[in-house]
Amino acid sequence: MTLRDSLDLIAMVRPEAGTAALDHEIAAERASSLGAAEQRVIKALTALASGNEAALADARDAVWAYFVQRELIGFRRHTDVIQELNIPAQVLAGLGAMRRQQP
């Protein structure tokens, strides 16, 4: 087999077709993980709205993780989801804050 035969074989196989399937799978995983993160936010905000003050830290953690996930995918603006999910200012004020560890 000559070099020319090898190049023809590579052209016939179309290696970019193999990466398209992988790219599709990666996009599906990103969408799934983003949906799961959004569901955690909704659950945490529901617990907070029920009057559970201890849920504030959980809501902050869930929203922070959701925002990080969105940014990893490429969504840099969060204004729309803040309004859509009705995320309270008290949650936004403490994003990224670390909880104190119990001794």
Side-chain angles (χ1 to χ4, degrees):
M1 182 178 269
T2 67
L3 177 61
R4 179 72 184 161
D5 293 335
S6 296
L7 293 175
D8 289 342
L9 182 60
I10 290 171
M12 287 179 4
V13 173
R14 290 187 21 216
E16 67 276 358
T19 61
L22 183 59
D23 290 341
H24 182 270
E25 187 70 24
I26 290 170
E29 286 297 321
R30 286 178 176 169
S32 176
S33 67
L34 188 60
E38 184 174 329
Q39 289 305 310
R40 284 191 295 275
V41 169
I42 292 169
K43 183 179 176 183
L45 292 176
T46 301
L48 181 63
S50 69
N52 184 354
E53 286 299 319
L56 179 60
D58 292 335
R60 286 177 175 162
D61 289 345
V63 170
W64 180 76
Y66 179 54
F67 285 177
V68 168
Q69 184 68 30
R70 284 176 49 85
E71 289 177 8
L72 287 171
I73 292 174
F75 298 117
R76 303 285 186 243
R77 297 173 140 188
H78 306 297
T79 309
D80 293 339
V81 293
I82 291 170
Q83 292 174 352
E84 182 181 320
L85 298 177
N86 199 22
I87 300 173
Q90 64 183 5
V91 172
L92 295 171
L95 289 185
M98 300 297 292
R99 295 186 196 190
R100 283 192 178 176
Q101 298 293 325
Q102 298 296 328

